[in-house]
Amino acid sequence: MSDPVSADHKRVMRFLEGVHPYDSLEREELRRLAGIFRQREVGPGEVVYRIGDVLEGLFLIETGGIEITDENDAPVSLLRGRNSFGERGLVREGAAMTNARAIEETRLLLLPVEEFRRLMQSSPVFARFFDRGRTVLRERRGELATQRVGDLMARDPITVPPETPIRRAAELMRDNHVSSLAITVDEGRLLGIVTLRDMATRAVASGLPGDIPVSRIMTTDPVSLSPSALGSDLLHVMLERRVGHVTVTEGDRIVGILTQTDLTRFQAVSSASMVSDIAMAETPQQMAAVTARLPQLLMHLVGASSRHEVVTRLMTDIADACTRRLLALAEAELGAAPVGYLWLACGSQGRQEQTGVSDQDNCLILDDAATDDDLVYFDRLAKFVSDGLDACGYFYCPGEMMATTPRWRQRAATWRSYFRSWIETPDPMAQMLASVMFDLRPIGGATRLFQDLQLDTLRLARANSIFVSHMIANSLKHTPPLGLFRGFATVKSGEHKNELDLKMNGVVPVVDLGRIYSLRGTLTQVNTRARLEAAEAQGVISRSGAHDLIDAYDLIAETRLRNQASEIRNGLKPDNFMPPSDLSDLERSHLRDAFVVVRTMQSAIGQGKGMLS
């Protein structure tokens, strides 16, 4: 008569041999684990754990079924045999982040928490599977494009007050072996910058005496970036504006200076050369020849394992450079603008999230001094720029959300009335327009026309609870493509039948969440990932919720870009659709888990939980 313990041990081992990632372990390790798993029988309706419970370990379903629900008791997933659950809580803080209960007679295997954590450390395959794909999203280091400016710069730049004599400033530059000085007041507030070139062309060549103040030859309001900007931003600014020195500031305080010499050990040739070529182009056709290389740029960046937010930032930088060059060409042809104006982008360009599939979404804010005759000029300017963008592959917006449409080419006062009316009367059209316009980002022109408008609108919107409620409801219309039994809800008909829409059901739900968080927290960030990070920093969402949502967003966006790169590599035009069969079992599992996180956060925001009142 066989030993029942031995029989159970053999049964569990045979079961584990068919379950990933246990099937990747050495046989002796698998035999040892089979003896460590504890068995638990649960009946229909019996609770396995609730949110906040301390988890004993990782659960694995041998037979039966488990329903996973969120904090509002809304169904998140229905799990069957060979599925694990509880790992999110174990990876985070050891407490359950969802509810779990049996839907029928179920036999569970429990891997103790200490054994789970040991395997997370010792088995790369185990760690990749249960860490929700974060190890797949490694940051690429060592390239200028992916470096943050704060990591590139030398801190504590040499500074002098504005009354410093030119001769003394020159001596400081010589003695410290630097090519520039920052001119500051009030312990670091930046007024301007002086370079060796300024010394030569503005002081020596002009015969100025050495005792005059250095403020006489400084460049006021120099080009500045924040420490969080990317190295690509730095190089693009230098190439497009033809400057050799860029100050790094936090608010109005200088924290560093970067020069072309500082960049000799870094390279970002592809995107930087495209920006340079665009800045030198004399016609839209010359620019179109440059943007024709965008698919290859995307394929190269994805192939180099660049983070998705870096890829989309670089792709957007090209669109920004095109827009600014077209504005310059338009003014060269039409003459100088009669009044101040500001060209803004919305949509994916506004959020700096462009991929290989982009149309144009833009608008114009005009100074209130603009006359009716001036409007004729801006009509021609808008047509010149939009036609040029279309020639460069940024196709006309199907919904005509462009500066060529008179409604989106108005004086600042009219724009204020637009936002006020959308907030006070939040009908469906107003909600749609407000959603688009909350993603506005200045591209070229007088930024003063937007700064107060953005903050005033956010404050007005946040104070209107009815408007916020409508915006939340509108944001929940796009849902992750989750089906039951660990499957996906794919497109039901048409050209993309049985495929996932990684835009509308993938990234858009997270974009919508980020927009609501920025509204509730009066956050001025426009980029989705930056909004999520800012929302966490200000307590708009919990730390664990923010980290889970950012991880989920990273994985979904990464999958979308890899799919587009694969299509380009195969000679196809990139789109946002992907058959689930293109993914491995591991990738499908991680992607579905990412969708579960998004759905959970949507449920939370729909119930008004985890947010500021």
Side-chain angles (χ1 to χ4, degrees), residues 347 350-353 438-441 450 454 523-531:
R351 297 189 306 272
Q352 295 181 297
E353 294 168 4
F438 275 134
D439 293 350
L440 285 173
R441 181 173 59 89
F450 181 67
Q454 180 191 33
L523 308 174
T524 57
Q525 288 83 356
V526 177
N527 175 266
T528 297
R529 205 175 193 280
R531 280 172 165 170

Side-chain angles (χ1 to χ4, degrees), residues 302-600:
V302 173
S305 301
S306 300
R307 303 189 308 271
H308 74 90
E309 70 268 29
V310 172
V311 176
T312 54
R313 174 78 70 85
L314 294 176
M315 298 291 284
T316 306
D317 283 348
I318 307 301
D320 291 355
C322 284
T323 305
R324 284 190 290 267
R325 185 58 182 157
L326 286 166
L327 286 169
L329 293 176
E331 290 198 40
E333 180 171 308
L334 303 175
V339 296
Y341 70 93
L342 180 62
W343 185 283
L344 304 98
C346 47
S348 60
Q349 185 184 0
R351 297 189 306 272
Q352 295 181 297
E353 294 168 4
Q354 287 192 315
T355 66
V357 186
S358 295
D359 59 3
Q360 56 175 291
D361 298 284
N362 46 62
C363 64
L364 266 175
I365 299 179
L366 311 179
D367 192 288
D368 285 331
T371 66
D372 289 345
D373 288 340
D374 294 337
L375 297 182
V376 176
Y377 172 94
F378 289 110
D379 176 38
R380 297 173 64 193
L381 179 139
K383 187 175 189 309
F384 185 100
V385 176
S386 286
D387 286 351
L389 289 172
D390 181 69
C392 291
Y394 304 102
F395 305 117
Y396 297 120
C397 173
E400 298 186 336
M401 187 72 70
M402 299 182 298
T404 51
T405 303
R407 185 180 187 184
W408 310 128
R409 187 179 66 249
Q410 293 291 334
R411 300 174 181 89
T414 302
W415 277 100
R416 287 186 178 276
S417 68
Y418 282 169
F419 280 104
R420 190 178 303 110
S421 66
W422 295 335
I423 292 168
E424 293 174 354
T425 311
D427 58 38
M429 179 59 72
Q431 296 166 35
M432 185 276 290
L433 294 174
S435 294
V436 172
M437 294 303 170
F438 275 134
D439 293 350
L440 285 173
R441 181 173 59 89
I443 303 298
T447 56
R448 60 177 173 79
L449 294 172
F450 181 67
Q451 289 173 331
D452 291 341
L453 174 62
Q454 180 191 33
L455 194 56
D456 290 348
T457 300
L458 284 170
R459 288 169 176 166
L460 183 65
R462 188 182 190 277
N464 190 316
S465 59
I466 296 176
F467 174 79
V468 173
S469 296
H470 279 283
M471 286 289 290
I472 290 173
N474 189 60
S475 74
L476 301 180
K477 292 180 180 178
H478 299 107
T479 58
L482 288 170
L484 294 178
F485 307 109
R486 305 291 287 181
F488 293 111
T490 56
V491 177
K492 299 301 181 185
S493 60
E495 178 185 358
H496 299 289
K497 183 179 180 181
N498 297 327
E499 295 182 349
L500 293 173
D501 187 338
L502 292 174
K503 178 182 178 181
M504 300 309 297
N505 300 117
V507 298
V508 167
V510 186
V511 169
D512 290 340
L513 285 171
R515 191 181 296 117
I516 295 300
Y517 296 145
S518 69
L519 175 60
R520 293 298 298 268
T522 321
L523 308 174
T524 57
Q525 288 83 356
V526 177
N527 175 266
T528 297
R529 205 175 193 280
R531 280 172 165 170
L532 300 180
E533 291 173 346
E536 179 200 357
Q538 290 202 14
V540 177
I541 48 177
S542 67
R543 181 176 180 273
S544 60
H547 287 191
D548 278 348
L549 188 55
I550 290 171
D551 285 346
Y553 179 55
D554 285 347
L555 185 57
I556 295 167
E558 168 91 356
T559 302
R560 180 191 184 198
L561 284 176
R562 282 193 287 106
N563 180 61
Q564 290 187 1
S566 175
E567 290 173 326
I568 294 168
R569 194 177 300 111
N570 291 324
L572 303 174
K573 183 177 179 179
D575 60 25
N576 294 300
F577 299 90
M578 181 187 67
S581 57
D582 285 357
L583 298 170
S584 68
D585 289 345
L586 176 62
E587 290 170 326
R588 281 198 296 271
S589 175
H590 290 330
L591 185 60
R592 191 180 189 282
D593 288 336
F595 290 145
V596 167
V597 170
V598 177
R599 180 171 172 177
T600 300

Side-chain angles (χ1 to χ4, degrees), residues 13-226:
M13 185 171 176
R14 284 195 301 270
F15 177 70
L16 293 178
E17 287 174 339
V19 178
H20 193 71
Y22 303 98
D23 57 358
S24 67
L25 300 176
E26 295 291 338
R27 188 166 183 80
E28 285 305 312
E29 174 72 344
L30 193 63
R31 180 179 290 108
R32 188 186 68 82
L33 277 181
I36 291 175
F37 270 96
R38 300 200 296 265
Q39 299 184 42
R40 178 175 170 183
E41 305 281 345
V42 291
E46 185 175 343
V47 173
V48 180
Y49 58 69
R50 298 187 186 279
I51 292 174
D53 289 351
V54 176
L55 293 170
E56 300 174 312
L58 177 71
F59 290 92
L60 174 62
I61 303 172
E62 186 174 0
T63 60
I66 295 290
E67 182 185 44
I68 305 296
T69 61
D70 63 18
E71 60 182 338
N72 304 309
D73 213 34
V76 170
S77 190
L78 183 61
L79 306 179
R80 295 287 182 176
R82 291 185 168 80
N83 281 307
S84 299
F85 60 98
E87 67 273 17
R88 283 181 58 213
L90 292 174
V91 168
R92 287 296 185 208
E93 301 170 354
M97 302 177 70
T98 55
N99 305 303
R101 61 172 170 261
I103 58 172
E104 60 191 28
E105 291 292 338
T106 300
R107 182 161 61 201
L108 300 173
L109 300 177
L110 176 65
L111 182 66
V113 62
E114 61 271 14
E115 193 65 29
F116 170 79
R117 289 175 176 159
R118 189 192 68 79
L119 284 169
M120 290 290 285
Q121 293 294 323
S122 63
S123 170
V125 176
F126 199 90
R128 279 198 301 271
F129 188 84
F130 288 111
D131 203 25
R132 295 303 170 224
R134 283 191 292 271
T135 53
V136 179
L137 304 172
R138 297 297 185 190
E139 294 187 357
R140 182 172 175 81
R141 302 291 183 183
E143 291 187 2
L144 173 62
T146 61
Q147 296 293 306
R148 294 191 182 273
V149 164
D151 296 328
L152 294 171
M153 70 182 188
R155 291 189 174 270
D156 301 319
I158 306 300
T159 64
V160 297
E163 63 271 19
T164 303
I166 289 177
R167 181 180 295 107
R168 177 56 183 157
E171 291 171 351
L172 285 171
M173 294 170 75
R174 178 199 63 197
D175 295 341
N176 289 279
H177 306 287
V178 295
S179 60
S180 61
L181 296 175
I183 314 303
T184 63
V185 295
D186 301 331
E187 299 182 353
R189 182 165 65 86
L190 181 65
L191 291 184
I193 186 174
V194 169
T195 68
L196 286 175
R197 182 177 180 182
D198 295 330
M199 286 287 186
T201 61
R202 297 179 181 178
V204 177
S206 300
L208 296 179
D211 59 354
I212 71 167
V214 71
S215 58
R216 287 274 301 276
I217 64 168
M218 73 179 182
T219 299
T220 59
D221 298 322
V223 177
S224 292
L225 293 172
S226 72

Side-chain angles (χ1 to χ4, degrees), residues 244-277:
H245 298 75
V246 175
T247 57
V248 184
T249 56
E250 291 181 330
D252 60 358
R253 306 282 168 172
I254 186 165
V255 294
I257 296 178
L258 278 162
T259 71
Q260 290 178 338
T261 304
D262 297 323
L263 308 183
T264 54
R265 62 193 178 91
F266 295 99
Q267 293 296 325
V269 176
S270 297
S271 61
S273 63
M274 290 176 70
V275 169
S276 179
D277 291 344

